[in-house]
Amino acid sequence: MVIKTDALIVGAGPCGLFQVFELGLLGIKSHIVDALESPGGQCIELYPDKPIYDIPAIPVCDARDLVDQLLEQIDPFDPTFHLDQQVTDIEKIDELSFHIKTSKGTEFEAKSVIIAGGVGSFQPMPLRVEGVEQFIDKQIFYRVRDPNLFSGKDVVVLGGGDSAFDWVIELAQTAKSLTLIHRSEKFRAAPASVQKMRELEKAGVVRFIVGNITDLMSEDSQLKAAEIRLNDSSITELSLDHLLVFFGLSPKLGPIATWGIDLEKNQIPTNTHNFQTNIPGIYAIGDIATYPGKKKLILSGFHEAALAAFGIKERISPDQKVHLQYTTTSPIMHERLGVKS
Ligand code: FAD
């Protein structure tokens, strides 16, 4: 089934989320796609617990709170999220519409596309050990889709951040054995999770090793064990059924570079009138957009989203004059926001 929509937003970072709001005020419903499993872009992936001080009228808020507030703000416009999938293809159907496809096979026909792709899709940082590829998504995983797979198994988790610790805590009750390996005793994970892991270690449920995996051993194409270099440079071997790798995520521009849109040093040049790209009907906002004087700040992306929304309204309703209205006084905006005039 092809989903028809007036506006498809690529990227659910802070700017993509605010784009939903600005479009919603003008009566345009959006679909929004992100390669990540949850919305928030860099704010959630790179600095969820860091305070932000330069959002207008919010003296300070954690990045995670900002995303939560944006989600609450756009709730009245009921956007449809398509998460955990990358937009892979955008092709022009005719002057008025585009055909868009994602890595999960979701297809859209959209009158306008807004690229809010930030610095690109976040991809897991790979485990760099010879022969790793043949086991990916069979015995080695960069994300957990079905935790039941690890029940009653010998599981090794790599990493020192929140994902690694969250899964160690989650799988502690069901795995046959659970080992956490990290290159040092310094962790990026939340202190409460570190404390919980230490408690599980004390109780003998989790084994913690400081070291790095240097080799993989297999038998009949089955991964059987990993060679680990310990802190003192000695080598040990650990049997395992599954290896979960959480080395963090790094952004890659990815398929955006193949859509025929002009690029300038991995950013998309736009006009500053409505943030349209070189392809009419495709807009770019947030970190991925560039123009003279561009600053990669959340507040710049919010402004760009507002003007792009007006441009999109003019494109999809060319016969309607688009007036500027205030949210304080506009009855139609109150109706769209679900508040009383
Ligand atoms: P992003 O947040 O990068 O989100 C883009 C989203 O697009 C991602 O979720 C990505 O997965 C998705 N995506 C990309 N390509 C595809 C595709 N093909 N298909 C599907 N999804 C795709 N800014 C401030 O204003 N104030 C600050 O104090 C501040 N502090 C910062 C601190 C740190 C450590 C960092 C790294 C940045 C900081 N920034 C700050 C910058 C701010 O985070 C960015 O300006 C902002 O996140 C840009 O938002 P965005 O929505 O454009 O892109």
Side-chain angles (χ1 to χ4, degrees), residues 33-257:
V33 185
D34 203 295
L36 295 171
E37 286 172 356
S38 48
Q42 291 174 55
C43 290
I44 294 296
E45 282 312 313
L46 302 181
Y47 59 104
D49 302 314
K50 286 211 166 23
I52 305 180
Y53 299 96
D54 57 350
I55 304 298
I58 303 179
V60 59
C61 73
D62 285 356
R64 196 190 301 277
D65 292 339
L66 177 72
V67 171
D68 286 346
Q69 300 269 39
L70 283 166
L71 287 169
E72 190 184 325
Q73 193 172 23
I74 65 176
D75 191 54
F77 302 123
D78 195 23
T80 311
F81 282 91
H82 306 265
L83 298 172
D84 196 17
Q85 50 197 304
Q86 195 180 35
V87 172
T88 49
D89 302 279
I90 298 182
E91 275 168 24
K92 192 169 160 178
I93 300 173
D94 52 38
E95 287 313 310
L96 283 180
S97 52
F98 299 92
H99 179 246
I100 299 104
K101 245 170 99 174
T102 78
S103 53
K104 274 194 178 165
T106 314
E107 290 182 61
F108 303 89
E109 189 181 315
K111 290 185 187 158
S112 58
V113 178
I114 306 98
I115 302 175
V119 280
S121 315
F122 287 93
Q123 304 291 334
M125 306 265 271
L127 171 66
R128 296 191 197 282
V129 176
E130 212 182 310
V132 68
E133 293 78 17
Q134 57 186 306
F135 304 116
I136 299 292
D137 289 336
K138 293 180 190 130
Q139 287 179 277
I140 300 181
F141 299 90
Y142 291 114
R143 57 178 65 172
V144 175
R145 291 190 201 279
D146 178 12
N148 295 324
L149 194 65
F150 310 110
S151 248
K153 296 285 170 43
D154 294 316
V155 180
V156 175
V157 177
L158 299 185
D162 283 319
S163 300
F165 276 70
D166 288 351
W167 282 113
V168 163
I169 293 163
E170 171 101 18
L171 299 177
Q173 305 312 321
T174 54
K176 183 173 153 205
S177 76
L178 191 57
T179 307
L180 173 68
I181 304 179
H182 184 51
R183 61 174 184 274
S184 77
E185 302 243 11
K186 282 191 191 143
F187 308 111
R188 277 176 290 112
S193 306
V194 175
Q195 192 187 335
K196 179 78 190 154
M197 187 282 283
R198 290 298 192 191
E199 285 165 16
L200 291 167
E201 189 189 14
K202 232 183 201 166
V205 182
V206 171
R207 185 175 169 201
F208 173 60
I209 298 177
V210 178
N212 290 301
I213 290 199
T214 44
D215 204 0
L216 299 171
M217 278 76 103
S218 61
E219 236 176 74
D220 301 330
S221 309
Q222 281 284 109
L223 179 62
K224 291 284 179 195
E227 181 189 88
I228 300 152
R229 183 183 299 124
L230 303 176
N231 229 7
D232 60 5
S233 296
S234 64
I235 299 284
T236 188
E237 211 179 288
L238 189 67
S239 328
L240 57 89
D241 296 311
H242 293 294
L243 187 58
L244 306 182
V245 183
F246 299 111
F247 286 163
L249 299 168
S250 73
K252 294 224 162 26
L253 190 61
I256 292 174

